[in-house]
C-alpha cells in the first residue's frame, strides 16, 4: 500500500512544502528513508515506531520506504514525525485515506505517542495556508495567524487516530502551556531620572527611525535608556507583524499568547555572539539570527567595542540593506532584518573613565578601543550621545519624569506627519525629498557651513544632521520645510564626534 | 673621560642586577673600565662594596654577556653624551643629591641646567584645561628665563615642554628626563618634541641606549626630575598618579611643591587637591611660581576676554567645574536643551570650550592673570 501525506519543512524563516510518501510492501522487514533527511529527521524512524507501539497501534513487520518529496533540498528537524506516522498508518490500513483527506500534519512524536511542538509552525503552516492542518496544541495560536484553512490540535497520536476515525471528538485547542512572552510590558520612561538630552535622543530616534549610539561609563544608564525605546514605538504594521511572527516561530523563540507579534521586538545579543548568531545560520536549518529577530523592532548592541570586528561588519551590512542573505553550499536564504540599531559602548577600555582626565587610559588606548567601531558603522548612527552617571540629587529627587505614554503620543504624531509628508520616516529621507523638506534657515546654513569647513562635519554627516533636525522640529510641532538654527544645533550636539584622531601633537 | 670609559660606564648602567645606589658607589672611586674588568673577572670591585656571592655571580654573567662594540656603536650613532658621578662634566645640581644617578646620558645642551629650574609634572590623561595650563606655564617660565624640567610623557609633561620649546621669546632651555635609552623616542607621539629637545634643549636619562621604557623605570626617573627642580609644579593628577611620586621625592628633599588648584568635582584634580590639603602651595598664576623661585616678577599682559551672556556664563561655569556632557549641563543649569546647545555650539566655535567624545570642557588655561598696580 502506498500513502501520501502533505507536510512542510523549514529553511530560514520560510516553509517548504514536503509530501511524505510511504510505501509498505513485501521484503525483508526494514525502514528506509529517502529524500535528503538530516540527522534529526532520520531519527524519526525510531520515534515513529515507538510512538505507534505505545499508542496501541501496529508497526508492520514489512518493508517500509518513506520518500520526502521533492528530494531536491534537505529536510531538517523532527516536524515530519507526525506526517510519517500518519503515512505508515494509512499504508497499513490502520487509517483510511478518506478519513485523513487532504489534512496536512506537523509535529514531533514522543516515544509515548505524545505530539510535541516544533519551531517554525507558523511558516510551515503558512506555506500550505489553504490546507487544513493538524498541529501540536502549543502551535495552534501561531498557526491560526497564517492559516486560511482549519487548524486542528492533537496532543497524542492515539487521540489523533480516534478523532480521524470518528470514534472521538477533536481535542479543543487549549491555551498554550509553554511560557509566553508578555510583549505588552516594557519598562517605562518615567523611571529614567534626569538625563534630558539622552531622553530627547531616544524620542528623536523613535520618531524618526534614526540609529542611536550611547557612549558612557558603566552605570550611566545606557541599557536602561535603550530598553525604553520599544515602548515609544507604535504597533507593527500588519505585514511586518506577520514577518516578525514567522521569524520568531522559525527561531523557536516564544510568541505572544495570541500568536501574532504586534509590538516591536527588543533583542540584545551578548558581545560574545558569533557572526552566525547575529545574521543566522546553521548547516541545514538556517535559524534566523538576532538581526532578523529584531525585525521591526530594536536591536540593542551593548558593549559594542567588545564585539568581534567581523560580527560588527555583518551588522553594518544588515543595517544597510534591511535584509541578510545567508549562503551555504547548497542553499541560500534571505531573511528580513529591518531594525532600529541602538549601540552602547564604554568610552575606554577600563570602563571607569568617561570624563577626560578621569582614568588611566591615555588617548591612544581610547582611540584603539573606540576605533573598533569607527568608520562606516559609526557613520550609520544619526544620533551619538554621551551619557554620564546622573547626579545623586537627580536619582533621589522625586520630580517625576515624563512617562512613556506621553512621549509615545508625541512620537506617534511626528511619525504620522513624516509618513504623510514623504511616505518614509525621516531617517530614510533621501535626495530630492530631503532637500525639499529639510531646508536650513540662513543662520543654520551658516552654522553647518562653518562645521564643515572646520572638518567637524562630513558631507554625509550634513545630510544626517538635517534628517535628525527634521525629526526634532516635527516633534516640536514645527512641520514646515524650514529648519531653524536651534533645530540644527540640537541635532549637531546629539551627534558627538567619537574616536576622532587627535590632531598631531594634541597628546 | 675616554671613549672606553664611556662604553664601560654604559655597560655597567645597563646591567639588570645593578642597583642605582650600587652603581654610583661603584663609580665613585674607580674608573668604569676598571670596575667592568673586575666584574667580568668575577671579583667584587673594591672591598667597600659588600656584595653577596650570588649577586656577584649574576653581575659577572650579565657583564660578560654585553657586547661593548654594539654599545659603542649605539652611543656614537645617536651622539649620546655619557658622564659619570665624580667627573668634571657631571651636573653640579645633581652631584649633591643623595640619590644621584651613577651614570648620566644626555643629548643636547648640558648647559641648559645652569639656569634656575622648575619642574612641571602631571597626568598623562589630562583635561584640555590642564594641558592648556601646563603649556601656558611652560611658555611663561621659559620667557622668564627659567628652565622647565619635565618627563616628556603624554598629557601634562608634553604640554609643558611644548609651551617651553615653542615660546616666542624664550630665554631658557628646557630639560626632559626620560625613562628609556636616548637612542629611541618614547612615547612615539612626542617624536617632534624629542627632536626639538635634542636640537636646542636637553634630554637626560640614567639608562644606556637600547633600554626599553619599562614601567619600573618611570618612578626612578621621577626622582631625577625632583632632584633637578628648585620648585615643582603639579598641574593635574588623580589620587594615585605618578606625579605624586615626584611630589613625594621633592618633599623628601625639602623642595617646594606647588599645585594648580582644580575643581573638587574633577577626578583629574583629585591628587593635586590632596597635595593642597597636605600643605602644598597653590599656584594660581605664573606670578606665584616666579615669586616662589625668587625670580624677577614680570607683569604679564592679561588676555582680552569678551563678556559672556547669562546662559553662556552659566555653561562655562559648569564646565569649569570639570568636564561635562550636554546632558549634565542641561540638568545642572536647568535650562532648555535648545538654549544650552546653542550656547555650547557658539562657545565651541569661539574656542572657549572644546569637546572630546561628547564631553565638553573648558579649553583655556586655569591660571589667572592678576592685575598688578603699576
Amino acid at each position: 500500500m502506498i500513502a501520501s501525506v502533505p507536510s512542510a519543512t523549514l529553511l530560514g524563516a520560510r516553509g517548504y512544502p514536503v509530501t511524505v510518501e510511504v510505501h509498505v510492501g513485501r521484503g525483508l522487514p526494514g525502514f528506509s528513508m529517502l529524500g535528503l533527511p538530516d540527522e534529526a529527521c532520520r531519527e524519526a524512524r525510531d520515534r515513529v515506531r515507538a510512538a505507534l507501539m505505545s499508542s496501541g497501534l501496529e508497526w508492520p513487520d514489512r518493508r517500509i520506504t518513506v520518500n520526502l518529496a521533492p528530494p531536491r533540498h534537505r529536510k531538517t528537524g523532527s516536524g515530519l514525525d507526525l506526517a510519517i506516522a500518519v503515512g505508515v498508518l494509512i499504508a497499513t490500513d490502520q487509517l483510511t485515506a478518506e478519513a485523513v483527506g487532504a489534512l496536512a500534519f506537523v509535529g514531533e512524536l514522543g516515544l509515548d505517542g505524545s505530539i510535541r511542538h516544533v519551531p517554525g509552525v507558523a511558516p510551515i503552516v503558512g506555506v500550505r495556508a489553504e490546507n487544513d492542518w493538524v498541529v501540536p496544541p502549543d502551535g495552534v495560536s501561531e498557526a491560526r495567524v497564517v492559516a486560511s484553512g482549519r487548524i486542528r490540535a492533537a496532543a497524542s497520536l492515539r487521540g489523533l487516530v480516534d478523532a480521524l476515525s470518528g470514534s472521538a471528538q477533536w481535542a479543543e485547542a487549549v491555551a498554550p502551556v509553554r511560557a509566553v512572552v508578555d510583549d505588552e510590558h516594557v519598562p517605562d520612561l518615567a523611571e529614567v531620572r534626569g538625563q534630558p538630552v539622552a531622553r530627547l535622543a531616544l524620542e528623536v530616534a523613535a520618531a524618526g527611525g534614526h540609529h542611536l549610539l550611547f557612549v558612557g561609563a558603566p552605570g550611566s544608564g545606557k541599557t536602561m535608556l535603550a530598553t525604553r525605546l520599544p515602548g515609544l514605538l507604535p504597533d507593527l504594521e500588519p505585514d511586518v507583524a506577520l514577518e516578525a511572527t514567522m521569524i520568531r516561530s522559525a527561531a523557536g523563540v516564544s510568541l505572544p499568547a495570541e500568536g501574532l507579534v504586534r509590538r516591536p521586538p527588543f533583542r540584545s545579543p551578548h558581545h560574545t555572539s558569533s557572526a552566525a548568531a547575529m545574521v543566522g545560520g546553521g548547516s541545514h536549518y538556517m535559524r534566523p539570527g538576532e538581526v532578523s529577530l529584531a525585525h521591526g523592532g530594536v536591536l540593542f548592541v551593548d558593549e559594542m567595542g567588545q564585539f568581534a570586528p567581523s560580527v560588527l561588519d555583518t551588522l553594518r551590512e544588515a543595517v544597510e540593506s534591511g535584509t541578510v542573505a545567508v549562503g551555504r553550499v547548497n542553499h541560500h536564504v534571505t531573511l528580513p532584518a529591518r531594525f532600529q540599531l541602538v549601540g552602547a559602548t564604554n568610552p575606554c577600555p577600563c570602563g571607569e573613565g568617561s570624563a577626560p582626565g578621569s582614568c588611566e587610559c591615555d588617548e591612544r588606548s581610547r582611540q584603539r578601543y573606540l576605533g573598533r567601531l569607527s568608520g562606516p558603522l559609526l557613520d550609520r548612527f544619526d544620533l551619538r550621545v554621551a551619557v554620564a552617571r546622573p547626579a545623586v540629587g537627580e536619582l533621589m529627587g522625586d520630580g517625576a519624569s515624563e512617562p512613556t505614554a506621553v512621549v509615545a503620543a508625541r512620537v506617534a504624531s511626528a511619525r504620522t506627519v513624516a509618513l504623510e509628508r514623504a511616505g518614509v520616516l525621516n531617517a530614510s529621507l533621501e535626495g530630492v525629498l530631503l532637500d525639499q523638506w529639510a531646508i536650513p534657515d540662513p543662520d543654520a546654513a551658516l552654522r553647518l557651513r562653518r562645521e564643515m569647513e572646520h572638518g567637524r562635519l562630513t558631507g554625509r554627516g550634513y545630510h544626517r544632521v538635517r534628517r535628525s533636525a527634521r525629526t526634532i522640529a516635527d516633534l516640536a510641532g514645527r512641520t514646515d520645510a524650514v529648519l531653524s538654527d536651534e533645530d540644527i544645533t540640537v541635532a549637531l550636539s546629539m551627534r558627538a564626534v567619537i574616536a576622532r584622531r587627535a590632531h598631531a601633537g594634541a597628546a | 673621560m675616554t671613549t672606553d670609559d664611556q662604553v664601560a660606564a654604559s655597560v655597567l648602567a645597563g646591567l639588570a642586577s645593578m642597583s642605582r645606589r650600587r652603581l654610583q658607589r661603584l663609580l665613585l672611586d674607580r674608573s668604569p673600565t676598571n670596575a667592568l674588568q673586575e666584574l667580568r673577572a668575577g671579583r667584587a670591585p673594591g672591598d667597600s662594596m659588600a656584595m653577596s656571592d650570588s649577586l656577584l655571580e649574576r653581575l659577572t654573567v650579565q657583564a660578560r654577556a654585553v657586547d661593548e662594540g654594539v654599545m659603542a656603536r649605539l652611543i656614537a650613532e645617536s651622539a649620546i653624551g655619557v658622564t659619570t658621578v665624580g667627573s668634571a662634566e657631571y651636573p653640579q645640581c645633581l652631584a649633591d643629591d643623595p640619590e644621584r644617578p651613577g651614570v648620566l646620558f644626555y643629548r643636547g645642551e648640558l648647559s641648559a641646567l645652569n639656569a634656575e629650574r622648575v619642574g612641571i609634572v602631571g597626568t598623562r590623561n589630562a583635561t584640555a584645561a590642564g594641558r592648556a595650563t601646563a603649556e601656558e606655564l611652560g611658555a611663561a617660565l621659559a620667557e622668564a628665563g627659567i628652565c622647565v624640567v619635565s618627563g616628556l610623557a603624554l598629557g601634562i609633561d608634553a604640554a609643558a615642554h611644548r609651551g617651553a620649546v615653542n615660546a616666542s621669546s624664550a630665554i631658557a632651555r628646557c630639560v626632559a628626563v626620560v625613562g628609556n635609552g636616548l637612542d629611541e623616542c618614547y612615547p612615539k607621539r612626542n617624536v617632534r618634541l624629542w627632536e626639538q629637545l635634542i636640537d636646542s634643549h636637553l634630554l637626560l636619562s640614567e639608562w644606556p641606549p637600547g633600554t626599553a621604557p619599562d614601567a619600573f623605570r618611570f618612578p626612578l626617573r621621577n626622582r631625577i626630575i625632583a632632584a633637578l627642580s628648585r620648585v615643582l609644579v603639579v598641574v593635574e593628577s588623580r589620587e594615585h598618579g605618578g606625579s605624586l611620586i615626584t611630589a613625594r621625592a621633592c618633599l623628601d628633599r625639602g623642595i617646594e611643591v606647588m599645585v594648580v588648584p582644580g575643581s573638587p568635582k574633577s577626578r583629574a584634580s583629585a591628587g593635586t587637591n590632596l597635595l593642597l590639603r597636605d600643605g602644598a602651595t597653590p599656584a594660581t598664576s605664573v606670578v606665584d611660581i616666579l615669586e616662589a623661585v625668587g625670580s624677577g616678577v614680570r607683569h604679564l599682559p592679561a588676555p582680552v576676554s569678551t563678556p559672556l551672556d547669562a546662559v553662556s556664563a552659566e555653561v562655562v561655569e559648569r564646565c569649569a567645574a570639570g568636564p561635562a556632557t550636554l546632558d549634565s549641563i542641561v540638568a545642572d543649569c536647568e535650562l532648555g536643551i535648545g538654549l544650552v546647545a546653542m550656547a555650547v555650539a557658539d562657545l565651541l566655535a569661539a574656542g572657549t570650550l572644546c569637546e572630546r567624545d561628547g564631553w565638553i570642557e573648558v579649553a583655556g588655561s586655569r591660571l589667572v592673570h592678576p592685575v598688578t598696580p603699576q
Side-chain angles (χ1 to χ4, degrees), chain A residues 360-490:
Chain A
E360 299 298 328
C361 306
D362 57 29
E363 197 81 15
R364 201 169 36 149
S365 56
R366 288 174 70 103
Q367 259 170 27
R368 204 181 307 136
Y369 187 76
L370 288 172
R372 301 180 71 169
L373 348 161
S374 70
L377 180 60
L378 208 51
D379 220 46
R380 300 284 148 191
F381 291 103
D382 289 357
L383 304 167
R384 300 190 290 240
V385 178
V387 285
R389 291 185 191 133
V392 178
E394 283 168 24
L395 281 178
M396 307 286 288
D398 42 23
S401 308
E402 246 181 341
T404 291
V406 177
V407 181
R410 271 205 303 273
V411 167
S413 59
R415 284 175 81 108
T416 310
V417 166
L419 290 172
E420 277 173 4
R421 175 165 57 210
V424 291
L425 292 178
N426 290 337
S428 315
L429 275 180
E430 296 283 353
V432 179
L433 279 174
L434 181 63
D435 288 337
Q436 182 183 344
W437 286 107
I439 307 164
D441 75 9
D443 284 349
L446 189 66
R447 187 181 295 277
L448 286 169
R449 171 181 292 275
R450 217 168 43 208
E451 292 287 315
M452 287 171 80
E453 281 169 357
H454 283 82
R456 286 190 294 260
L457 192 63
T458 60
R460 192 178 306 177
Y462 169 67
H463 298 307
R464 292 187 175 271
V465 161
R466 281 195 297 157
R467 289 186 193 121
S468 44
R470 178 70 269 156
T471 309
I472 291 166
D474 287 350
L475 279 168
R478 295 186 291 274
T479 54
D480 56 323
V482 177
L483 297 169
S484 72
D485 193 16
E486 182 171 326
D487 295 333
I488 288 286
T489 310
V490 173

Side-chain angles (χ1 to χ4, degrees), chain B residues 46-77:
Chain B
D47 32 44
S48 62
M49 302 287 291
M51 201 185 276
S52 70
D53 287 349
S54 66
L55 174 62
L56 179 61
E57 197 178 317
R58 267 180 287 145
L59 284 172
T60 304
V61 170
Q62 288 164 8
R64 284 175 183 165
V66 185
D67 184 343
E68 280 168 287
V70 173
M71 185 65 81
R73 191 167 50 77
L74 283 175
I75 292 174
E77 272 175 6

Side-chain angles (χ1 to χ4, degrees), chain B residues 88-278:
Chain B
E89 226 186 352
Y90 195 85
Q92 198 52 45
C93 48
L94 275 178
D96 300 330
D97 193 81
E99 292 181 284
R100 66 197 161 191
V103 182
L104 199 58
F105 301 86
Y106 65 90
R107 293 178 78 174
E109 304 286 334
L110 212 47
S111 63
L113 293 172
N114 296 341
E116 195 69 83
R117 294 167 307 276
V118 168
I120 301 178
V121 295
T123 177
R124 278 168 297 164
N125 185 8
T127 64
R131 290 196 299 269
T133 306
E135 195 160 343
E136 186 189 343
L137 270 181
L141 292 178
E143 286 169 2
I146 288 174
C147 166
V148 170
V149 182
S150 193
L152 199 65
L154 298 175
I156 298 293
D157 285 15
H161 284 304
R162 199 173 299 118
V165 166
N166 298 333
S168 51
S169 53
I171 50 170
R173 300 183 200 279
C174 116
V175 179
V177 189
V178 299
N180 55 306
L182 293 182
D183 53 332
E184 266 200 57
C185 170
Y186 179 86
K188 285 276 184 288
R189 187 171 292 182
N190 286 343
V191 65
R192 210 180 113 69
L193 262 180
W194 175 274
E195 283 161 4
Q196 285 176 310
L197 285 163
I198 290 170
D199 282 348
S200 43
H201 300 269
L202 176 62
L203 269 174
L204 286 181
S205 174
E206 59 173 327
W207 305 100
T211 307
D214 302 304
F216 76 92
R217 301 186 207 276
F218 291 95
L220 291 171
R221 175 274 309 265
N222 288 354
R223 81 175 197 286
I224 303 180
I225 296 178
L228 285 174
S229 303
R230 167 81 185 279
V231 168
L232 181 79
V233 185
V234 187
V235 178
E236 262 180 359
S237 169
R238 284 180 299 282
E239 56 272 36
H240 299 296
S243 330
L244 300 188
I245 298 175
T246 317
R248 168 63 53 86
C250 284
L251 293 177
D252 290 346
R253 290 167 172 76
I255 295 165
E256 179 163 15
V257 175
M258 301 186 80
V259 161
V260 179
S263 159
K265 280 185 178 173
S266 170
R267 211 179 142 211
S269 296
T272 41
N273 286 344
L274 277 180
L275 287 173
L276 280 178
R277 189 199 63 189
D278 294 344

Side-chain angles (χ1 to χ4, degrees), chain A residues 195-198 200 354-364 366 370 386 388 394 447 485-486 489-490 493 496-500 505 507, chain B residues 124-127 131 154-155 162 189-190 238 267-268 323 325-327 330-332 337-339 341-342 345-346 349 355-359 361:
Chain A
Q195 303 192 307
V197 177
L200 177 63
S354 42
S358 63
C359 70
E360 299 298 328
C361 306
D362 57 29
E363 197 81 15
R364 201 169 36 149
R366 288 174 70 103
L370 288 172
E394 283 168 24
R447 187 181 295 277
D485 193 16
E486 182 171 326
T489 310
V490 173
S493 68
V497 181
I498 303 295
R500 166 190 47 201
Chain B
R124 278 168 297 164
N125 185 8
T127 64
R131 290 196 299 269
L154 298 175
R162 199 173 299 118
R189 187 171 292 182
N190 286 343
R238 284 180 299 282
R267 211 179 142 211
T325 58
L326 188 64
D327 231 353
V330 170
D332 291 352
I337 294 176
L339 214 54
M342 298 278 278
D346 290 339
E355 187 194 355
R356 188 182 82 176
D357 293 352
W359 286 79
E361 41 181 338

Side-chain angles (χ1 to χ4, degrees), chain A residues 232-289:
Chain A
L232 299 180
L233 297 171
D235 281 349
L236 297 178
E237 296 292 319
D239 52 336
V240 179
L242 198 59
E243 285 172 338
T245 307
M246 296 285 203
I247 291 165
R248 247 159 95 164
S249 168
V253 176
S254 50
L255 288 159
E258 69 273 26
L260 185 67
V261 177
R262 288 176 203 283
R263 294 294 302 155
F266 180 83
R267 299 296 297 183
S268 168
H270 191 253
H271 63 74
T272 53
S273 300
S274 65
M278 289 296 268
V279 300
S283 48
H284 305 315
Y285 143 51
M286 296 291 202
R287 183 183 188 273

